Amino acid sequence: MKEKTICMVGFGNVAKAFARLIQRKENELKDKYDVAFRVTAIATGRHGRALDPQGIDLTRALELSAAGKKLDELSKTSSPDSIEDFIVQSRADFLLENSPVNYENGEPALTHIRCALEHDMHAVSANKGPVVHAYHELKKLAGQHQRKYLFESAVMDGAPVFSVFREALPAANLVAFEGILNSCTNLLIELMEQGKSFDEAVAYAQSIGIAETDPSGDIDGWDAAIKVAAIVTVLMDTPYKPQQVERQGIRGITQAEIRQAQKDGSRWKLVCRGEKIGGRIVSKVAPEMVTPQSPLYSVSGTSSFVLFKTDVLPGLGLLESNPSPDTTAYGLLADVLNILKTE
Amino acid sequence: MKEKTICMVGFGNVAKAFARLIQRKENELKDKYDVAFRVTAIATGRHGRALDPQGIDLTRALELSAAGKKLDELSKTSSPDSIEDFIVQSRADFLLENSPVNYENGEPALTHIRCALEHDMHAVSANKGPVVHAYHELKKLAGQHQRKYLFESAVMDGAPVFSVFREALPAANLVAFEGILNSCTNLLIELMEQGKSFDEAVAYAQSIGIAETDPSGDIDGWDAAIKVAAIVTVLMDTPYKPQQVERQGIRGITQAEIRQAQKDGSRWKLVCRGEKIGGRIVSKVAPEMVTPQSPLYSVSGTSSFVLFKTDVLPGLGLLESNPSPDTTAYGLLADVLNILKTE
């Protein structure tokens, strides 16, 4: 049986869900994939660090985190000051990068991933920032070190947006796509359909942890634009920045417009579009009214959907319903296992 | 560069679309997959056979077929009488099995596939029959010969129903599914929504080649049931026959019911369901009324959709819109290329 070690940077909801997932699947992974995982390093932003080459007790780490305590007591060796040195010292097979998204430049996740690849570690991350800011660089770097950089959970959580093309659809070329890629705005519009004002909807979404304290990244369409840029960058193999996406958020939609759409049997949705025309990319994020005849109409709550148009399949849709940190964590595990099958 | 040879049994619309597809993608397959395909054998039901170890001229084969002529003039060697001997004599790397579906016992496709695997050929087929009648046997036989048997196009044409689990979603276990898997009945109900009587709808669907001369396989839910059985058999790893599916077709839906549903903002759909409860499978094909809130509502015309519930992703939907023989042909090519990457 293979033993593989993991260094986790970030220990938030998704990382904790990943820890629980590999615990729950321990026997299945041994039986079907002939692999056992050992988390040998965990670095957090505010709750300390743990480093143990023999493997950190994940149950204990989850308990400490739940109690708001620091992880340092789980360390068997002293941790270096810098996070890069910490990653290097972990000597793990995989870096699992879970630090917060940064739309501007992808940092600090980008530096962590670069560091891991340079030191012959695979890198897996749900972070969209490094994808849009450095995908082609990181892919090349990974190749130079015979390692992989995967990021399935960066778009639509654990739904196989990237892997379906990479693993299952050989010789399929993406021509265009449309979809609902931002959960938060989709929920906000639905709350407004239920009669809440925009501010009430935002406050409610914040109270259940869907909207951030500063919700402008979602509301103004930045999160959707970064996902459009990620799909263009990776699946159309064309470096593309969120700033290049024609972008309009949902602030302009009034309750009157939402009510009128409902009367007409339609719904407002924040729709993402991208298309390769000749060698040129045309892309857009903007509110659109959709009718029940559209597959976008029934995408409700925090669900998401993308319809791909390829040169071989004219319409292939992927729907992800009921996402949670658990589904994002599964996307990370799928990346890890998909990397292992190439070794 | 690898050269791979293909023996085609059946040269109907899908097989011809496959021939055009590998012609169109010839350069891409060489550049990206380092492979060139040569069709060395074609056997048809009523239009003769061609056997040429150097490779049959596909353009000429397509022309002959379009003109309703026999393919025999393309043969460089004499063909044996039996189809099994023909397959063996082709000595091809791949059998592409495209003979008509047989719900009862999967023949003659099953015999062809068995013959190919026994003679160390990979087998790829869009045929549902062998999947539900012999999947586990054929998988075992393929393994004994270090070959593969794949059948992506058996359900939802080229949409990656099987490969998404096999290639992209490691350690994901299917718990339940629901969907619209029969294109013909979906179109028939839509035609009735547009005001046609049941008989008029059937006649129209027959005129455009969607319904067969005897349309009972579709109308009575057999085609849907065989697809349910295929998903259960393969993705739940449980041998399952179409006869085990609780089955109700669309003959019972009246125009009055369809009009009433439309008034209520709903639509009738022939819905497929399967679920693993404990060790037991519960499955059903039956008409259901669905509202615009359901992802099934917008599945129109000959499109199809399946929503998977797994132990790691609570809802993953796959939509295939605008299918054609070209999309089924792509499913066959995807199988061939996915097999090649394991070699």
Side-chain angles (χ1 to χ4, degrees), chain B residues 109-265:
Chain B
L110 176 50
T111 296
H112 302 162
I113 291 167
R114 205 182 271 132
C115 168
L117 294 172
E118 281 168 351
H119 291 84
D120 299 333
M121 297 166 67
H122 298 297
V124 167
S125 175
N127 201 311
K128 296 171 278 285
V131 180
V132 294
H133 289 289
Y135 166 69
H136 286 87
E137 175 212 323
L138 293 173
K139 194 183 169 190
K140 190 178 164 193
L141 180 62
Q144 287 166 345
H145 290 262
Q146 287 92 52
R147 292 299 181 277
K148 301 274 180 189
Y149 160 51
L150 294 183
F151 41 80
E152 188 54 72
S153 295
V155 178
M156 287 178 67
D157 313 291
V161 172
F162 300 110
S163 62
V164 77
F165 280 90
R166 193 183 63 240
E167 311 284 341
L169 298 177
N173 300 303
L174 184 59
V175 176
F177 61 92
E178 62 179 89
I180 296 173
L181 298 175
N182 178 262
S183 303
C184 176
T185 47
N186 203 54
L187 179 67
L188 290 176
I189 297 172
E190 193 162 305
L191 291 167
M192 289 177 75
E193 287 174 341
Q194 290 162 10
K196 284 192 164 60
S197 70
F198 180 78
D199 291 338
E200 286 166 351
V202 170
Y204 176 78
Q206 285 170 328
S207 75
I208 60 167
I210 299 294
E212 296 179 52
T213 315
D214 172 6
S216 54
D218 290 313
I219 290 167
D220 293 329
W222 279 113
D223 177 79
I226 202 170
K227 285 166 175 164
V228 167
I231 292 175
V232 170
T233 298
V234 179
L235 295 180
M236 293 177 166
D237 201 20
T238 305
Y240 204 72
K241 293 277 184 291
Q243 290 79 1
Q244 293 175 266
V245 181
E246 186 186 327
R247 180 182 48 78
Q248 187 189 333
I250 64 161
R251 284 187 207 269
I253 312 178
T254 64
Q255 261 186 319
E257 285 173 316
I258 283 175
R259 272 195 302 274
Q260 186 58 48
Q262 286 179 296
K263 269 188 207 158
D264 298 342

